[in-house]
Amino acid sequence: MTSSKPETRIENIVATVIFEHQLDLDLIEQGIPNIEYNPDQFPGLILRLDSPMVTALIFKSGKMVVTGAKKTSDLVKAVKKILRMFIKSGVSISGKPKIQIQNIVASANLGMEVLLEKAAYLLENIMYEPEQFPGLIYRLTDPKVVLLIFSSGKMVITGAKSEDEVIKAVEHTYKTLTDLNCLKKIEKSEEELEREIELEEI
């Protein structure tokens, strides 16, 4: 059974940025327009960038949490942009901040239907309780990620630390499900087939 390769898309990269020193939040707030700071409600600054589109939570301890990037390169670009904003605000930065990816959330589409009952019976490290959740929860150890697999062939991947890990996890899962004969071609309804014929004739 051959099929096109699964489609994978990064939805969100969550990373921490660690500075070697504490940060002066008041100075940063004064120097950056449209930054949110309400210490009674939240102990850090909230900075939203439009390009790349990320949100940064900045703490006095010298720790920053950046979410929303869809690519590692965008994450790095955003951190550099924020650093320039800090320096412009008069904050002195010593040393190079450390960027650590904590979690990558991605989605994938296998382009095939998944026989969940069969997969639940044959796979190891899974949880499948259709009365509580419509998907199968599959835990991989290498890479260490969790996949939520749905009968439609759609998947959600969490816990990856790099884009390569996401691809590796999806490809491994696709191969495993293929080898176990747990995938089948998506049956199209008569309406869908008729619509496709009409489009071809146009």
Side-chain angles (χ1 to χ4, degrees), residues 43-55:
L45 294 165
I46 302 170
L47 173 61
R48 290 182 174 88
L49 294 185
D50 290 336
S51 173
M53 211 165 171
V54 303
T55 299

Side-chain angles (χ1 to χ4, degrees), residues 10 14 25 39 42 49-50 54 59 77 82 117 120 150 171 178 180 192-193 197:
I10 305 290
V14 180
L25 298 191
F42 184 71
L49 294 185
D50 290 336
V54 303
F59 301 97
K77 208 184 285 178
I82 293 165
E117 298 275 341
F150 300 93
E171 286 180 351
T178 303
L180 295 173
E192 284 175 307
L193 289 168
I197 293 162

